[in-house]
Amino acid sequence: GAGDNISLAQMVYWIVISITTVGYGDFAPRTLLSRMVTSVFIVIGVAYVFWVQFQFQEAYLRNREGSGTYRPTHKGEQHVVVLLCLRGRANQFASMVGGFLDEIHHSAHKNWPNVVFLSPRQWDQDGKHGHSFYDFLRERGFPKAVRNRVWFIVGEISSKKELSRAGVGSSALT
């Protein structure tokens, strides 16, 4: 039988078309070797797509939890900055933070402000990996609409630079 007589560029083209699920049908590998190589590259390509998506999600969460800067998502949005003055872990204030968010984002209120928490410590300092501030919000049952309006920034509350990252100068209430 006829083998697969194609160039490397044609093979890469076909793999990209297959990974993106477009699949024009203009080529299909025929030999066992080309099918095996294609299968390996498709698995690697799909894994890479998921890895890139995961990296973007991690960067987004890192920006919103700890290392980022508050930036309103829409022009003219109001926000409130809550300064957490604490010793120990920030998550020791979970009940207070949850109650505050319950009240400020209550369905009876209109025009919810964004909420920025500025804390000298990460939310979870007890060594449990994967239990973040946003995990707490999810576990408390806050809907995505509320979770997207809340930031948790780690920084010293006595530092002008850190206060600026939290948007204290433009906040409706601090």
Side-chain angles (χ1 to χ4, degrees):
D4 291 330
N5 197 9
I6 63 167
S7 69
L8 178 63
Q10 288 171 314
M11 181 63 82
V12 170
Y13 156 79
W14 185 80
I15 290 171
V16 169
I17 293 303
S18 295
I19 290 172
T20 59
T21 69
V22 173
Y24 291 125
D26 55 347
F27 171 76
R30 291 183 293 239
T31 66
L32 179 62
L33 179 61
S34 65
R35 287 178 180 169
M36 288 174 36
V37 169
T38 301
S39 297
V40 167
F41 279 112
I42 287 175
V43 168
I44 290 170
V46 169
Y48 181 73
V49 168
F50 282 114
W51 179 80
V52 167
Q53 180 182 3
F54 177 76
Q55 293 303 313
F56 276 115
Q57 179 183 4
E58 286 295 309
Y60 174 77
L61 288 176
R62 273 194 310 274
N63 185 47
R64 289 183 61 95
E65 186 167 339
S67 62
T69 300
Y70 169 73
R71 286 186 177 50
T73 51
H74 298 95
K75 188 176 180 178
E77 271 185 332
Q78 291 192 340
H79 68 283
V80 174
V81 178
V82 179
L83 305 175
L84 296 176
C85 305
L86 50 96
R87 293 185 182 149
R89 297 187 311 265
N91 64 359
Q92 292 172 317
F93 290 89
S95 178
M96 187 263 322
V97 167
F100 176 76
L101 290 174
D102 281 335
E103 181 58 35
I104 204 164
H105 289 119
H106 192 275
S107 60
H109 301 287
K110 294 180 180 178
N111 301 327
W112 297 337
N114 291 335
V115 179
V116 181
F117 291 97
L118 179 62
S119 168
R121 293 190 171 61
Q122 290 284 348
W123 179 256
D124 191 22
Q125 293 273 325
D126 63 1
K128 291 182 184 175
H129 296 291
H131 194 267
S132 67
F133 181 70
Y134 291 95
D135 292 332
F136 159 74
L137 294 178
R138 252 189 310 277
E139 289 168 7
R140 270 297 290 258
F142 288 107
K144 189 173 184 178
V146 171
R147 294 192 313 259
N148 286 341
R149 299 182 71 91
V150 180
W151 280 255
F152 187 88
I153 297 176
V154 177
E156 291 301 319
I157 61 172
S158 59
S159 163
K160 266 185 152 179
K161 180 182 173 189
E162 303 300 331
L163 292 170
S164 176
R165 281 180 49 223
V168 168
S170 60
S171 68
L173 183 65
T174 301

